[in-house]
């Protein structure tokens, strides 16, 4: 039986009943994807995930991919191979590709609704399958040569990797030392060692295209220090005929180690060595030295993917816990304490109810955050596809929300899975008989890769708020204020939201105050800003998610008033909305007080005092 449990009903509720995404479907660039087709897609992919994609998930965690140092290659276990093949054969990955690359070009919100299912069922399969999608970045930024390469990546379903990290360059990508040397024929030879590279090798695709950041050497005007001196090179595992894509000789890029990890073991994490004894030939993407900006096109997508993965795991974790709680009989109802009182399922205990509602409300709030963010991607996509004026505001709001999706979803999911979902199983949760212990191990990585939570917090404040001059955050605040102005049924929770929104604005005021101070007489006030950036990220997540849950709660409450037959579903939505707001919003006010009280004192403390 599959570990995977999905909530397609909630995805559809968000997409169509709250966010009105059906208005985009069946028209303009989504002419071929009407609402019926979208619902069929969700249903079919859900079935595929249940019956095939999820199958290698547990077995291959126990017996993960192996590394052979002689051939410097990785072998993926058979169940994962089958799961991967079933996903690639289904062709559903084409929903993420544009029509010029034979994609189905679905609106981004629908894409993320679909991707959630694959990420819940078997996240490593999604990562291994991302080659064609990387092809899109190659196509978008490439020369005519690169566009041909991109076409092979799609047509031949090559694997692909994003290659940034080095032993001394993790968060600080600009410290990377891998070098690139220009050759007479216009290609480059790369030399260096990268580490922690996801899908660095596997034996499921005929070729792998590595997208590598390296520093050009000996060419005037390029290759300076920091991230701006990095260029992006396409380095294939096998050389190939540019016209046909047919493979030629092995290129000089080899996996030199496979990491042993806490979780997500099916996804290979590799040390990759370039040009050790054999040239590692690369092509400069777009023949332009703009590596970090080009790589950030991949990173933005990958950060959204990581937040979605975290949410997807939290959701399947909750649904597994719920199923268990409904059947596990233990203890008597609090109201019937006698020794011979009838034993009840644990869902009768208030603390288990508290835990289950926390899980339901959080998983559903995170899903809303992902799909709400995707709705701004829809606006950008729509403008691009129809040739309308670029939707700058939507792009800015998407940029603002991305670190929240990545940072907030990953932090909430990992803790929720451990402290609530696994806990619901009692001691059984600690066993490998149930998927929870694996979910906890697999979800921890989401707070780390694609930029740790600390990096997301800094990105949010310095780049997405300060550098943006508050435009995007102002627009989101206005949207929340308009919602509050309109009133509704959930009045007490709306009042909490109004106070919490003020608290976030207060926190921003505190941080801007310290920032200003640091630019004047007290440079150390910048440390105080840095002590609050992760806090800001988490409270912004609390407030935006509460707003979204209350919006959903109002829709659900209207459906109940109209007399729906789905009473359980909609009353569950109203209850979850209230619960999320009641349990998160009061804490935002405490966080403001903590933020106000921060001083740079701990920065003065000698390291030896820690
Ligand atoms: C990793 C992979 O961890 C894990 C999972 C892999 C799974 C792969 C498969 C699935 C993915 C599928 C993807 C398919 C892709 C398809 C997409 C199709 C559409 N936003 O602030 P500055 C740029 S990989 C945009 O001065 P520093 C910008 O160009 C490893 N751009 O930074 C900027 O210039 P300007 C992940 C941004 O101080 C320039 O960078 N590693 C953003 O030099 C310099 O900016 C990490 O994530 C942004 N938010 O460097 C590293 N930010 O200002 C984390 C910067 O002129 N560390 N740029 O515009 C950081 O992010 C650091 O903050 C730093 C700092 C490196 C950026
Ligand atoms: P460090 O940067 O050393 O950070 C250590 C700690 O210090 C963290 O808590 C961090 O938040 C904090 N810190 C560091 N700098 C700052 C700062 N300026 N301000 C505040 N706090 C800071 N990389 C790739 O290029 N491609 C991949 O495909 C890939 N896949 C990965 C898969 C796995 C399983 C793992 C574990 C990593 C992967 N990575 C990949 C690398 C990943 O992106 C990095 O591990 C991550 O960016 C953090 O870098 P680091 O591990 O060097 O930690």
């Amino acid at each position: 039986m599959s570990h995977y449990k999905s909530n397609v009903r909630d995805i559809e509720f968000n997409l169509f009943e709250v966010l009105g995404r059906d208005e985009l479907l069946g028209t303009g660039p989504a002419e071929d994807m009407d609402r019926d087709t979208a619902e069929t897609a969700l249903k079919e992919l859900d079935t595929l995930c249940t019956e095939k994609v999820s199958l290698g998930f547990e077995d291959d965690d126990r017996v993960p991919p192996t590394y052979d140092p002689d051939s410097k290659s990785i072998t993926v276990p058979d169940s994962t191979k089958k799961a991967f093949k079933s996903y690639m054969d289904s062709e559903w990955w084409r929903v993420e590709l544009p029509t010029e690359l034979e994609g189905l070009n679905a609106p981004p919100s629908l894409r993320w609704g679909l991707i959630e299912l694959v990420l819940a069922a078997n996240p490593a399969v999604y990562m291994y399958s991302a080659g064609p999608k990387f092809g899109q970045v190659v196509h978008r930024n490439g020369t005519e040569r690169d566009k041909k390469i991109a076409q092979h990546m799609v047509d031949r379903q090559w694997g692909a990797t994003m290659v940034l990290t080095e032993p001394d360059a993790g968060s600080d990508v600009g410290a990377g030392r891998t070098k690139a040397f220009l050759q007479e024929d216009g290609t480059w030879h790369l030399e260096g060692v990268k580490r922690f590279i996801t899908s660095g090798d596997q034996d499921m695709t005929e070729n792998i295209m590595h997208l590598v950041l390296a520093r050009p050497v000996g060419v005037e005007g390029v290759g300076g220090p920091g991230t701006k001196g990095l260029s992006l090179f396409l380095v294939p595992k096998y050389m190939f005929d540019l016209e046909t894509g047919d493979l030629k000789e092995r290129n000089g890029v080899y996996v030199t180690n496979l990491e042993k990890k806490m979780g997500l073991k099916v996804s290979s994490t590799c040390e990759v060595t370039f040009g050790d004894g054999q040239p590692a030939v690369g092509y400069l993407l777009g023949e332009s030295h703009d590596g970090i900006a080009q790589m950030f096109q991949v990173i933005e997508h990958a950060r959204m993917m990581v937040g979605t993965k975290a949410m997807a795991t939290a959701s399947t974790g909750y649904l597994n816990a719920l199923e268990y709680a409904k059947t596990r009989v233990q203890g008597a109802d609090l109201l019937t304490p006698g020794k011979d009182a009838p034993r009840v399922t644990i869902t009768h205990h208030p603390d288990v109810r508290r835990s289950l509602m926390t899980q339901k409300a959080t998983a559903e709030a995170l899903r809303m955050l992902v799909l709400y963010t995707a709705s701004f991607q829809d606006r950008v996509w729509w403008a691009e596809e129809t040739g309308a004026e670029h939707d700058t505001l939507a792009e800015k709001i998407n940029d603002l929300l991305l670190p929240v999706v990545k940072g907030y979803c990953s932090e909430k999911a990992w803790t929720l899975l451990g402290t609530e979902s696994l806990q619901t199983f009692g001691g059984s949760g600690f066993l490998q008989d149930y998927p929870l212990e694996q979910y906890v191990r697999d979800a921890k990585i989401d707070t780390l890769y694609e930029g740790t939570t600390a990096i997301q917090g800094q990105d949010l404040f310095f780049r997405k708020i300060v550098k943006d001059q508050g435009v995007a955050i102002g627009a989101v605040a206005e949207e929340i204020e308009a919602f509050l102005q309109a009133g509704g049924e959930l009045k007490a929770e709306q009042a909490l939201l109004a106070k919490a929104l003020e608290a976030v604005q207060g926190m921003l005021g505190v941080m801007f105050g310290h920032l200003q101070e640091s630019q004047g007489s007290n440079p150390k006030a910048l440390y105080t800003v840095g002590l609050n950036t992760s806090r800001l990220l988490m409270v912004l997540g609390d407030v935006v998610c509460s707003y979204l849950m209350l919006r959903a709660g109002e829709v659900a409450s209207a459906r109940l008033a109209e007399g729906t037959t789905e009473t359980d579903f909609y009353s569950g939505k109203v209850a979850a909305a209230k619960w999320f707001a009641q349990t998160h919003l009061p804490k935002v006010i405490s966080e403001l007080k903590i933020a106000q009280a921060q001083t740079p004192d701990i920065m003065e403390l000698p390291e030896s005092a820690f």
Side-chain angles (χ1 to χ4, degrees):
M1 209 180 69
S2 172
H3 73 93
Y4 157 82
K5 304 209 181 303
S6 60
N7 196 346
V8 172
R9 178 69 187 93
D10 197 45
I11 296 173
E12 289 177 347
F13 170 73
N14 284 310
L15 287 177
F16 306 134
E17 294 176 66
V18 185
L19 297 169
R21 297 299 84 197
D22 43 337
E23 284 168 19
L24 294 183
L25 298 173
T27 168
E31 200 180 358
D32 297 335
M33 179 67 74
D34 61 14
R35 180 167 166 173
D36 280 350
T37 318
E39 286 177 357
T40 306
L42 284 161
K43 200 161 156 253
E44 282 189 13
L45 188 57
D46 188 37
T47 306
L48 184 80
C49 285
T50 309
E51 293 176 358
K52 303 222 162 117
V53 179
S54 59
L55 294 189
F57 180 76
E58 285 139 312
D59 288 353
D60 296 353
D61 168 71
R62 316 304 190 247
V63 189
T66 52
Y67 175 62
D68 173 26
D70 294 331
S71 60
K72 298 193 174 116
S73 63
I74 287 173
T75 305
V76 169
D78 283 346
S79 315
T80 298
K81 284 201 177 93
K82 281 189 201 140
F84 175 76
K85 186 168 185 315
S86 72
Y87 181 54
M88 297 313 283
D89 288 352
S90 78
E91 302 272 325
W92 281 119
W93 50 272
R94 289 193 191 271
V95 292
E96 289 197 83
L97 287 182
T99 34
E100 68 260 28
L101 287 171
E102 287 88 47
L104 296 172
N105 200 20
S109 54
L110 177 60
R111 295 181 199 179
W112 289 110
L114 290 161
I115 295 168
E116 176 194 327
L117 305 176
V118 186
L119 289 170
N122 205 332
V125 165
Y126 180 80
M127 294 181 198
Y128 284 126
S129 76
K133 179 93 178 126
F134 277 89
Q136 187 181 343
V137 174
V138 175
H139 193 266
R140 190 189 287 164
N141 296 279
T143 58
E144 284 311 310
R145 173 202 65 202
D146 302 337
K147 287 190 198 315
K148 286 181 189 167
I149 295 177
Q151 197 66 55
H152 299 318
M153 290 171 76
V154 175
D155 293 347
R156 305 176 78 109
Q157 298 173 23
W158 287 350
T161 65
M162 52 194 300
V163 187
L164 296 83
T165 306
E166 297 179 13
D168 295 323
S171 302
D172 187 9
V173 175
R177 288 202 290 249
T178 297
K179 294 185 176 57
F181 300 89
L182 184 58
Q183 305 300 301
E184 278 180 3
D185 64 357
T187 64
W188 297 74
H189 286 182
L190 274 73
E191 285 179 19
V193 179
K194 295 280 184 176
R195 78 161 171 174
F196 292 169
I197 305 308
T198 298
S199 315
D201 193 36
Q202 35 78 9
D203 55 342
M204 297 186 290
T205 62
E206 65 167 14
N207 205 359
I208 299 174
M209 186 60 73
H210 302 285
L211 273 63
V212 189
L213 284 184
R215 209 172 298 282
V217 174
V219 180
E220 214 179 300
V222 295
T227 49
K228 293 281 170 119
L230 296 169
S231 303
L232 202 161
F233 298 92
L234 306 174
V235 184
K237 176 175 173 181
Y238 288 96
M239 302 308 293
F240 55 91
D241 182 296
L242 186 62
E243 299 306 322
T244 64
D246 289 346
L247 299 194
K248 296 186 184 169
E249 72 279 9
R250 186 72 166 80
N251 195 13
V253 47
Y254 287 94
V255 164
T256 40
N257 189 26
L258 173 67
E259 305 296 346
K260 293 195 167 52
K261 312 198 296 275
M262 169 181 177
L264 200 62
K265 295 183 183 199
V266 179
S267 164
S268 63
T269 304
C270 310
E271 179 184 84
V272 183
T273 300
F274 296 84
D276 183 12
Q278 181 192 347
V281 179
Y283 307 99
L284 177 65
L285 177 60
E287 289 304 323
S288 85
H289 293 278
D290 197 17
I292 192 70
Q294 292 167 335
M295 185 59 92
F296 256 96
Q297 295 173 25
V298 179
I299 294 177
E300 286 187 1
H301 184 89
R303 288 182 177 173
M304 182 80 179
M305 183 278 290
V306 172
T308 307
K309 167 182 175 296
M311 169 273 283
T313 311
S315 178
T316 182
Y318 157 59
L319 294 171
N320 273 279
L322 177 64
E323 184 182 271
Y324 182 84
K326 284 179 177 171
T327 56
R328 174 69 177 161
V329 174
Q330 200 65 194
D333 191 300
L334 262 185
L335 302 184
T336 52
K339 285 207 169 60
D340 54 353
R343 306 289 104 176
V344 295
T345 55
I346 59 172
T347 54
H348 289 74
H349 303 312
D351 192 64
V352 174
R353 289 260 167 160
R354 173 203 58 73
S355 177
L356 289 173
M357 186 47 85
T358 302
Q359 293 172 55
K360 172 180 165 65
T362 310
E364 293 178 8
L366 301 183
R367 176 176 295 114
M368 283 215 76
L369 176 62
V370 166
L371 295 177
Y372 172 69
T373 304
S375 73
F376 293 99
Q377 297 170 14
D378 282 348
R379 279 172 49 180
V380 176
W381 168 83
W382 183 270
E384 270 171 14
E385 295 290 321
T386 58
E389 197 183 329
H390 183 68
D391 195 335
T392 311
L393 181 61
E395 186 170 41
K396 280 170 180 282
I397 298 176
N398 175 55
D399 287 348
L400 172 83
L401 293 173
L402 275 180
V404 186
V405 168
K406 160 65 169 86
Y408 186 78
C409 288
S410 63
E411 292 292 346
K412 292 296 268 189
W414 135 257
T415 43
L416 185 83
L417 283 159
T419 58
E420 304 298 344
S421 308
L422 187 152
Q423 194 77 8
T424 306
F425 287 79
S428 302
F430 200 61
L431 310 183
Q432 297 205 325
D433 300 359
Y434 295 96
L436 266 297
E437 66 80 32
Q438 187 183 342
Y439 287 163
V440 174
R441 289 188 286 107
D442 285 4
K444 178 55 206 165
I445 186 61
D446 300 330
T447 69
L448 297 165
Y449 58 11
E450 283 307 340
T452 60
T453 309
I455 296 298
Q456 303 306 320
Q458 290 176 13
D459 182 55
L460 171 69
F461 182 70
F462 291 110
R463 189 176 180 92
K464 308 301 178 53
I465 296 178
V466 177
K467 195 173 174 201
D468 181 50
Q469 298 182 316
V471 172
I473 191 137
V476 171
E478 266 177 37
E479 187 180 311
I480 299 177
E481 276 155 7
F483 168 74
L484 291 171
Q485 289 280 321
E489 292 298 310
L490 282 64
K491 293 190 175 49
E493 290 73 23
Q494 288 209 357
L496 288 175
L497 179 60
K499 282 195 189 137
L501 182 62
E502 257 176 47
V504 175
Q505 284 159 339
M507 194 181 286
L508 281 169
V510 170
M511 294 174 74
F512 271 104
H514 287 135
L515 186 64
Q516 241 173 356
E517 203 185 324
S518 74
Q519 286 156 355
S521 58
N522 181 16
K524 285 187 181 167
L526 194 56
Y527 284 147
T528 319
V529 177
L531 287 167
N532 279 324
T533 43
S534 296
R535 188 184 324 283
L536 175 71
L537 182 139
M538 294 308 285
V539 298
L540 190 61
D542 286 341
V543 167
V544 174
C545 283
S546 298
Y547 153 61
L548 294 170
M549 287 298 276
L550 293 180
R551 226 176 112 178
E554 293 296 342
V555 172
S557 143
R559 296 276 185 279
L560 288 167
E562 287 157 18
T564 171
T565 50
E566 283 185 284
T567 323
D568 283 348
F569 176 77
Y570 289 114
S571 27
K573 291 303 304 181
V574 174
K578 288 183 173 177
W579 183 269
F580 194 87
Q582 287 165 1
T583 54
H584 286 77
L585 294 175
K587 292 180 192 161
V588 173
I589 292 154
S590 317
E591 291 292 345
L592 168 61
K593 290 190 177 144
I594 298 171
Q596 284 166 331
Q598 292 299 311
T599 67
D601 288 359
I602 58 166
M603 300 306 290
E604 304 291 342
L605 208 59
E607 260 183 6
S608 51
F610 276 84

